[in-house]
Amino acid sequence: MRYRLLSTFLFVSASTAALHAAVSQPSDNSVAMPAEVEGPAKAAMDAFKDGRHAKAVELATPLAENGNAEALYLLGFASESGQGAEASKEKALEYYRKAAAGKHKDAIYRMSFILLASDKEEERDQAREALESAAMDDPAVAARILGEAYLRGLLTPAPDPDKAVFWWKRAADAGDVLSVLLAARFYEGQFGFPELKDPKEALANYGKAAGLGNAGAMAALGSRLLSGDEENRDEKKGREWLKKAIDAKEYSAYLALGDYEENVKKDLKAALAEYERGKDAGQIDCILRAADFYLEGKGVEKDEARGMILLQKAAEAGNPIANFRIAASLLSAEKPSAADLMTGYTHLVAAANGNLVEAQNEIGLFYLSGKFGVADAPAGVAWLTRAAQAGSAQAQNNLGTLYERGIAGLPANIENAGQLYSLAANQGHGGATLALARLITQGVGTKADPVKGWALASLAAERGEKEADALVKEISLKLDETQRVAALKELEDMKSGKAPEDNKAAEPAPSKNDK
């Protein structure tokens, strides 16, 4: 067995990891409500939107039998969502196909979403054909979806950024602001592909979206004109766009103004004033920034009580970072009271349920620690697994340790441990890098490889693992001159991001305890 170590410091999937934040294609099993309609299907649609799903299906069925596209779409939606009808992808596709044949746009898009998620290439090709046909009449939406599909690699063996940009430009030319913003984020490097990064093109697209009246684009444009690449900065225009964003009730503009005062102008008092204005408007990030200033005494007299009040305000609004910070404050005490322990736990759960991977890792450790008197190993492993699968290097390392040692109810599994250590090492985690070096050097679960072991141990030392120095020295004594040269080359390749073609990071194996 071979541990598939990637020698880069980022996940392979990082190029598309942020895409879900701005795409039309559903990233989960949720589906949108049917659109407003007039005509024979209106009563059925109104019943569905009122929550009378079974009645809506009853009303739509005879209309669908007569070929009414709106009714067919509603039945497809009911079958896809399992509301008013048995959930069935096959039935949903059947209804959507019939509605699409009647040129029902929403049916074409929902059908395409299902087909694009298929494992069958011919079904994904059907989606492409349907979308390309729809793009002739409705490029603003169909072309955007095609661009997203190409960037995700759903229509090609690998993501195709050129085709993604081609279709986004088609959609943008048809007035689709979302496609303009996708292009802006693409050229900014938010979707990966650093070789195609173009700050000026990104700025131009933000400017286009802002000119079309998109308040978020106004704030983004103003932020970059103030704090972006120096050659593109323009304070006067940046402030003008941020004022327009604020007038349009896009209060993240206060955050951009505060960040500019804090990080560019180095005026902490002016920065706090902007964060306070954003706080008063309810902007969560401004609340967190203001809390930091009071907790740390930045530009103002230190006031921990006021800082915690602000964190509590953000936590009450559901912000996972605020919940996590409150939990850390309460649980990090040497001997927290029972009340603080329970309150801290409550905030930690809220942060973990808010998909903050740091909190998911910590609550996993919390359950394993038995701080409530009894350890809950299944819950601890489940949370660590969830965080590891979400990309937390710390959780991957912790879960790898559990598998290596066969503790917390998990059977000893060196292969799982090695894969998890590899995932964490890919992200620069020193402890995981050292653990992997030890396994490979000793030949635990794999053929002993002192050359790679030395390179990994040296890398772990560079990443701050003090114990790695001893392992480096121990391995060095056993290497001959040829091996030393090879070990240095291995280390150089790891640090430069080179790796054999088959070295791909594996997903952490789910635990049977993962609920």
Coordinates of all heavy atoms in Angstrom, one line a residue, residues 155-218:
L155 N -18.8 18.9 -18.2 CA -19.0 18.6 -19.6 C -17.7 18.3 -20.3 O -17.7 18.0 -21.6 CB -19.6 19.8 -20.3 CG -21.0 20.2 -19.8 CD1 -21.5 21.5 -20.4 CD2 -22.0 19.1 -20.0
T156 N -16.6 18.3 -19.6 CA -15.3 18.0 -20.2 C -14.5 17.1 -19.2 O -14.8 17.1 -18.0 CB -14.5 19.2 -20.5 OG1 -14.6 20.1 -19.4 CG2 -15.0 19.9 -21.8
P157 N -13.5 16.4 -19.6 CA -12.8 15.5 -18.7 C -12.1 16.3 -17.5 O -12.0 15.8 -16.4 CB -11.7 14.9 -19.6 CG -12.2 14.9 -20.9 CD -13.1 16.2 -21.0
A158 N -11.8 17.6 -17.8 CA -11.3 18.5 -16.7 C -11.9 19.8 -16.9 O -12.5 20.2 -17.9 CB -9.7 18.6 -16.9
P159 N -11.9 20.6 -15.8 CA -12.5 22.0 -15.9 C -11.9 22.7 -17.1 O -10.7 22.7 -17.4 CB -12.1 22.6 -14.6 CG -12.0 21.5 -13.6 CD -11.4 20.4 -14.4
D160 N -12.7 23.4 -17.8 CA -12.3 24.2 -19.0 C -12.6 25.7 -18.8 O -13.7 26.1 -19.1 CB -13.1 23.6 -20.2 CG -12.5 24.2 -21.5 OD1 -12.0 25.3 -21.5 OD2 -12.6 23.5 -22.6
P161 N -11.7 26.4 -18.3 CA -11.9 27.8 -17.9 C -12.2 28.7 -19.2 O -12.9 29.6 -19.1 CB -10.7 28.3 -17.2 CG -9.6 27.3 -17.7 CD -10.3 26.0 -17.9
D162 N -11.6 28.3 -20.3 CA -11.8 29.1 -21.5 C -13.3 29.0 -22.0 O -13.9 30.1 -22.3 CB -10.9 28.6 -22.6 CG -9.4 28.9 -22.4 OD1 -9.1 29.9 -21.7 OD2 -8.6 28.1 -22.8
K163 N -13.8 27.8 -22.0 CA -15.2 27.7 -22.3 C -16.1 28.4 -21.3 O -17.2 28.9 -21.6 CB -15.6 26.2 -22.6 CG -15.0 25.7 -23.8 CD -15.5 24.3 -24.1 CE -15.0 23.7 -25.4 NZ -15.4 22.3 -25.7
A164 N -15.7 28.3 -20.0 CA -16.5 28.9 -19.0 C -16.6 30.4 -19.2 O -17.7 31.0 -19.2 CB -15.9 28.7 -17.6
V165 N -15.5 31.0 -19.5 CA -15.5 32.5 -19.8 C -16.2 32.8 -21.0 O -16.9 33.8 -21.1 CB -14.0 33.0 -19.8 CG1 -14.0 34.4 -20.3 CG2 -13.4 32.9 -18.5
F166 N -16.1 32.0 -22.1 CA -16.8 32.2 -23.3 C -18.3 32.3 -23.1 O -19.0 33.2 -23.6 CB -16.5 31.1 -24.3 CG -17.4 31.1 -25.5 CD1 -17.2 31.9 -26.6 CD2 -18.5 30.2 -25.6 CE1 -18.0 31.9 -27.7 CE2 -19.4 30.2 -26.7 CZ -19.1 31.0 -27.7
W167 N -18.9 31.4 -22.3 CA -20.3 31.4 -22.1 C -20.7 32.5 -21.1 O -21.8 33.1 -21.3 CB -20.7 30.0 -21.6 CG -20.8 29.0 -22.7 CD1 -19.9 27.9 -22.9 CD2 -21.7 28.9 -23.8 NE1 -20.3 27.2 -24.0 CE2 -21.4 27.8 -24.6 CE3 -22.8 29.7 -24.1 CZ2 -22.1 27.4 -25.7 CZ3 -23.6 29.3 -25.2 CH2 -23.2 28.2 -26.0
W168 N -19.9 32.8 -20.1 CA -20.2 33.9 -19.2 C -20.3 35.2 -20.0 O -21.1 36.1 -19.7 CB -19.2 34.0 -18.1 CG -19.4 32.9 -17.1 CD1 -20.6 32.2 -16.8 CD2 -18.5 32.4 -16.2 NE1 -20.4 31.3 -15.8 CE2 -19.1 31.4 -15.4 CE3 -17.1 32.7 -15.9 CZ2 -18.4 30.7 -14.3 CZ3 -16.5 32.0 -14.9 CH2 -17.1 31.1 -14.1
K169 N -19.4 35.4 -21.0 CA -19.4 36.6 -21.8 C -20.7 36.7 -22.6 O -21.3 37.7 -22.8 CB -18.2 36.7 -22.7 CG -16.9 37.0 -21.9 CD -15.7 37.2 -22.8 CE -14.5 37.6 -22.0 NZ -13.3 37.8 -22.9
R170 N -21.1 35.5 -23.1 CA -22.4 35.5 -23.9 C -23.5 35.9 -23.0 O -24.4 36.7 -23.4 CB -22.7 34.0 -24.4 CG -21.9 33.6 -25.6 CD -22.5 34.1 -26.9 NE -23.9 33.6 -27.0 CZ -24.3 32.4 -27.5 NH1 -23.3 31.6 -28.0 NH2 -25.5 32.1 -27.7
A171 N -23.6 35.4 -21.7 CA -24.6 35.7 -20.8 C -24.5 37.2 -20.4 O -25.5 37.9 -20.3 CB -24.5 34.8 -19.6
A172 N -23.3 37.7 -20.2 CA -23.1 39.0 -19.8 C -23.5 40.0 -20.9 O -24.1 41.0 -20.6 CB -21.6 39.3 -19.5
D173 N -23.3 39.7 -22.1 CA -23.7 40.5 -23.2 C -25.2 40.6 -23.3 O -25.8 41.5 -23.9 CB -23.1 40.0 -24.6 CG -21.6 40.2 -24.7 OD1 -21.1 41.0 -23.9 OD2 -21.0 39.5 -25.5
A174 N -25.9 39.6 -22.8 CA -27.3 39.6 -22.7 C -27.9 40.3 -21.5 O -29.1 40.2 -21.2 CB -27.9 38.1 -22.8
G175 N -27.0 40.8 -20.7 CA -27.4 41.6 -19.5 C -27.5 40.8 -18.2 O -28.0 41.3 -17.2
D176 N -26.9 39.6 -18.2 CA -26.9 38.9 -16.9 C -25.8 39.3 -16.0 O -24.6 39.1 -16.2 CB -26.7 37.4 -17.2 CG -26.8 36.5 -16.0 OD1 -27.9 36.5 -15.4 OD2 -25.9 35.8 -15.6
V177 N -26.2 40.0 -14.9 CA -25.2 40.6 -14.0 C -24.4 39.5 -13.2 O -23.2 39.7 -13.0 CB -25.9 41.5 -13.0 CG1 -24.9 42.1 -11.9 CG2 -26.6 42.7 -13.7
L178 N -25.1 38.4 -12.9 CA -24.4 37.3 -12.2 C -23.2 36.8 -13.0 O -22.2 36.4 -12.4 CB -25.4 36.2 -11.9 CG -26.5 36.5 -10.8 CD1 -27.4 35.3 -10.7 CD2 -25.8 36.9 -9.5
S179 N -23.4 36.7 -14.3 CA -22.3 36.2 -15.2 C -21.1 37.2 -15.2 O -20.0 36.8 -15.2 CB -22.8 36.0 -16.6 OG -23.7 34.9 -16.6
V180 N -21.5 38.5 -15.1 CA -20.4 39.5 -15.1 C -19.6 39.3 -13.8 O -18.4 39.4 -13.7 CB -21.0 40.9 -15.1 CG1 -19.9 42.0 -15.1 CG2 -21.8 41.1 -16.4
L181 N -20.4 39.1 -12.7 CA -19.7 38.9 -11.4 C -18.9 37.6 -11.3 O -17.8 37.6 -10.7 CB -20.7 38.9 -10.3 CG -21.4 40.3 -10.0 CD1 -22.5 40.1 -9.0 CD2 -20.4 41.2 -9.4
L182 N -19.4 36.6 -12.0 CA -18.6 35.3 -12.1 C -17.3 35.5 -12.8 O -16.3 35.1 -12.4 CB -19.4 34.2 -12.7 CG -20.5 33.6 -11.9 CD1 -21.5 32.7 -12.7 CD2 -19.9 32.7 -10.8
A183 N -17.4 36.3 -13.9 CA -16.2 36.6 -14.7 C -15.2 37.4 -13.8 O -14.0 37.2 -13.8 CB -16.5 37.3 -16.0
A184 N -15.7 38.4 -13.1 CA -14.9 39.2 -12.2 C -14.1 38.3 -11.2 O -12.9 38.5 -11.0 CB -15.7 40.3 -11.5
R185 N -14.9 37.5 -10.5 CA -14.3 36.6 -9.5 C -13.3 35.6 -10.2 O -12.3 35.3 -9.6 CB -15.4 35.8 -8.8 CG -16.3 36.7 -8.0 CD -17.4 35.9 -7.3 NE -16.8 35.0 -6.3 CZ -17.4 34.0 -5.8 NH1 -18.7 33.7 -6.2 NH2 -16.8 33.2 -5.0
F186 N -13.6 35.2 -11.4 CA -12.7 34.3 -12.1 C -11.4 34.9 -12.3 O -10.3 34.4 -12.0 CB -13.3 33.8 -13.4 CG -12.4 33.0 -14.3 CD1 -12.2 31.7 -14.0 CD2 -11.7 33.6 -15.3 CE1 -11.3 30.9 -14.8 CE2 -10.8 32.9 -16.1 CZ -10.6 31.6 -15.8
Y187 N -11.4 36.1 -12.9 CA -10.2 36.9 -13.2 C -9.4 37.3 -12.0 O -8.2 37.6 -12.0 CB -10.4 38.0 -14.1 CG -10.7 37.7 -15.6 CD1 -11.9 37.9 -16.1 CD2 -9.7 37.0 -16.3 CE1 -12.2 37.5 -17.5 CE2 -10.0 36.6 -17.6 CZ -11.2 36.9 -18.2 OH -11.4 36.5 -19.5
E188 N -10.1 37.3 -10.8 CA -9.5 37.7 -9.6 C -8.8 36.5 -9.0 O -8.1 36.6 -8.0 CB -10.5 38.2 -8.6 CG -10.0 39.1 -7.6 CD -11.1 39.9 -6.9 OE1 -12.1 39.4 -6.6 OE2 -10.9 41.1 -6.6
G189 N -9.0 35.3 -9.5 CA -8.4 34.1 -9.0 C -9.2 33.4 -8.0 O -8.6 32.5 -7.3
Q190 N -10.4 33.7 -7.8 CA -11.2 33.1 -6.7 C -11.6 31.7 -7.0 O -11.9 30.9 -6.1 CB -12.5 33.9 -6.4 CG -12.2 35.3 -5.8 CD -13.5 35.9 -5.3 OE1 -14.5 35.3 -4.9 NE2 -13.6 37.2 -5.4
F191 N -11.5 31.2 -8.3 CA -11.8 29.9 -8.6 C -10.6 29.1 -9.0 O -10.7 28.0 -9.6 CB -12.8 29.8 -9.8 CG -14.1 30.6 -9.6 CD1 -14.7 31.2 -10.6 CD2 -14.6 30.7 -8.3 CE1 -15.9 31.9 -10.4 CE2 -15.8 31.4 -8.1 CZ -16.5 32.0 -9.2
G192 N -9.4 29.6 -8.6 CA -8.2 28.9 -9.0 C -7.7 29.5 -10.3 O -7.8 30.6 -10.6
F193 N -7.0 28.6 -11.1 CA -6.4 29.0 -12.3 C -5.5 30.2 -12.2 O -5.8 31.2 -12.9 CB -7.5 29.1 -13.4 CG -8.4 28.0 -13.5 CD1 -9.7 28.1 -12.9 CD2 -8.0 26.8 -14.1 CE1 -10.6 27.0 -13.0 CE2 -8.9 25.7 -14.2 CZ -10.2 25.8 -13.6
P194 N -4.5 30.2 -11.4 CA -3.7 31.5 -11.1 C -3.1 32.0 -12.4 O -2.8 33.2 -12.5 CB -2.7 31.0 -10.1 CG -2.6 29.5 -10.2 CD -4.0 29.1 -10.6
E195 N -2.8 31.1 -13.3 CA -2.1 31.5 -14.6 C -3.0 32.4 -15.4 O -2.6 33.1 -16.3 CB -1.7 30.3 -15.4 CG -2.8 29.5 -16.0 CD -3.5 28.5 -15.1 OE1 -3.2 28.5 -13.9 OE2 -4.4 27.8 -15.6
L196 N -4.3 32.4 -15.1 CA -5.3 33.2 -15.9 C -5.7 34.4 -15.1 O -6.6 35.2 -15.6 CB -6.5 32.4 -16.3 CG -6.2 31.2 -17.2 CD1 -7.5 30.4 -17.5 CD2 -5.6 31.6 -18.5
K197 N -5.1 34.7 -14.0 CA -5.5 35.8 -13.1 C -5.2 37.1 -13.9 O -4.1 37.3 -14.4 CB -4.8 35.7 -11.8 CG -5.2 36.8 -10.8 CD -4.5 36.5 -9.5 CE -4.9 37.6 -8.4 NZ -4.2 37.3 -7.1
D198 N -6.2 38.0 -13.8 CA -6.0 39.3 -14.5 C -6.7 40.4 -13.7 O -7.9 40.6 -13.9 CB -6.6 39.2 -15.9 CG -6.3 40.4 -16.8 OD1 -6.0 41.5 -16.2 OD2 -6.3 40.3 -18.0
P199 N -6.0 41.1 -12.8 CA -6.6 42.1 -12.0 C -7.4 43.2 -12.7 O -8.5 43.6 -12.3 CB -5.5 42.6 -11.1 CG -4.5 41.6 -11.1 CD -4.6 40.9 -12.5
K200 N -6.8 43.6 -13.8 CA -7.5 44.7 -14.6 C -8.8 44.2 -15.2 O -9.8 44.9 -15.2 CB -6.5 45.2 -15.7 CG -5.4 46.1 -15.1 CD -4.6 46.7 -16.2 CE -3.5 47.6 -15.7 NZ -2.7 48.2 -16.7
E201 N -8.8 43.0 -15.7 CA -10.0 42.4 -16.3 C -11.1 42.2 -15.2 O -12.2 42.4 -15.4 CB -9.7 41.1 -17.0 CG -10.8 40.5 -17.8 CD -11.2 41.4 -19.0 OE1 -10.3 42.1 -19.5 OE2 -12.4 41.3 -19.4
A202 N -10.6 41.8 -14.0 CA -11.5 41.6 -12.9 C -12.1 42.9 -12.5 O -13.3 43.0 -12.3 CB -10.8 41.0 -11.7
L203 N -11.3 44.0 -12.4 CA -11.8 45.3 -12.1 C -12.8 45.8 -13.1 O -13.8 46.4 -12.8 CB -10.6 46.3 -12.0 CG -10.8 47.5 -11.1 CD1 -11.1 47.1 -9.7 CD2 -9.6 48.4 -11.2
A204 N -12.5 45.5 -14.4 CA -13.4 46.0 -15.5 C -14.8 45.3 -15.3 O -15.8 45.9 -15.5 CB -12.8 45.6 -16.8
N205 N -14.8 44.0 -15.0 CA -16.1 43.3 -14.8 C -16.8 43.8 -13.6 O -18.1 43.9 -13.6 CB -15.8 41.8 -14.8 CG -15.7 41.2 -16.1 OD1 -16.6 41.0 -16.8 ND2 -14.4 41.0 -16.5
Y206 N -16.1 44.1 -12.5 CA -16.8 44.6 -11.3 C -17.4 46.0 -11.7 O -18.5 46.3 -11.3 CB -15.8 44.8 -10.1 CG -15.6 43.5 -9.4 CD1 -14.3 43.0 -9.2 CD2 -16.6 42.8 -8.8 CE1 -14.0 41.9 -8.5 CE2 -16.4 41.6 -8.1 CZ -15.1 41.2 -7.9 OH -14.9 40.0 -7.2
G207 N -16.6 46.8 -12.5 CA -17.1 48.0 -12.9 C -18.4 47.9 -13.8 O -19.3 48.7 -13.6
K208 N -18.4 46.9 -14.6 CA -19.6 46.7 -15.5 C -20.8 46.3 -14.7 O -21.9 46.9 -14.9 CB -19.3 45.6 -16.5 CG -20.4 45.3 -17.5 CD -20.0 44.3 -18.5 CE -21.1 44.0 -19.5 NZ -20.7 43.0 -20.6
A209 N -20.6 45.4 -13.7 CA -21.7 45.0 -12.9 C -22.2 46.1 -12.0 O -23.4 46.3 -11.8 CB -21.3 43.8 -12.0
A210 N -21.2 47.0 -11.5 CA -21.6 48.1 -10.7 C -22.4 49.1 -11.5 O -23.4 49.7 -11.1 CB -20.4 48.8 -10.1
G211 N -22.0 49.3 -12.8 CA -22.7 50.2 -13.7 C -24.1 49.7 -14.0 O -25.0 50.5 -14.3
L212 N -24.3 48.4 -13.9 CA -25.6 47.9 -14.1 C -26.5 47.9 -12.9 O -27.7 47.4 -12.9 CB -25.5 46.4 -14.6 CG -24.9 46.2 -16.0 CD1 -24.7 44.8 -16.3 CD2 -25.9 46.8 -17.1
G213 N -26.0 48.5 -11.8 CA -26.8 48.8 -10.6 C -26.6 47.7 -9.5 O -27.4 47.8 -8.5
N214 N -25.7 46.8 -9.6 CA -25.6 45.8 -8.6 C -24.8 46.3 -7.4 O -23.6 46.7 -7.5 CB -24.8 44.5 -9.2 CG -24.7 43.4 -8.2 OD1 -23.8 43.4 -7.4 ND2 -25.6 42.5 -8.3
A215 N -25.5 46.4 -6.3 CA -24.9 47.0 -5.1 C -23.7 46.3 -4.6 O -22.7 46.9 -4.1 CB -25.9 47.2 -4.0
G216 N -23.7 44.9 -4.6 CA -22.6 44.2 -4.2 C -21.4 44.4 -5.0 O -20.2 44.5 -4.5
A217 N -21.6 44.6 -6.3 CA -20.5 44.9 -7.2 C -19.9 46.3 -6.9 O -18.7 46.6 -7.0 CB -20.9 44.8 -8.7
M218 N -20.8 47.3 -6.6 CA -20.3 48.6 -6.2 C -19.4 48.5 -5.0 O -18.3 49.2 -5.0 CB -21.5 49.5 -5.8 CG -22.5 49.8 -6.9 SD -23.9 50.7 -6.3 CE -25.0 50.7 -7.8

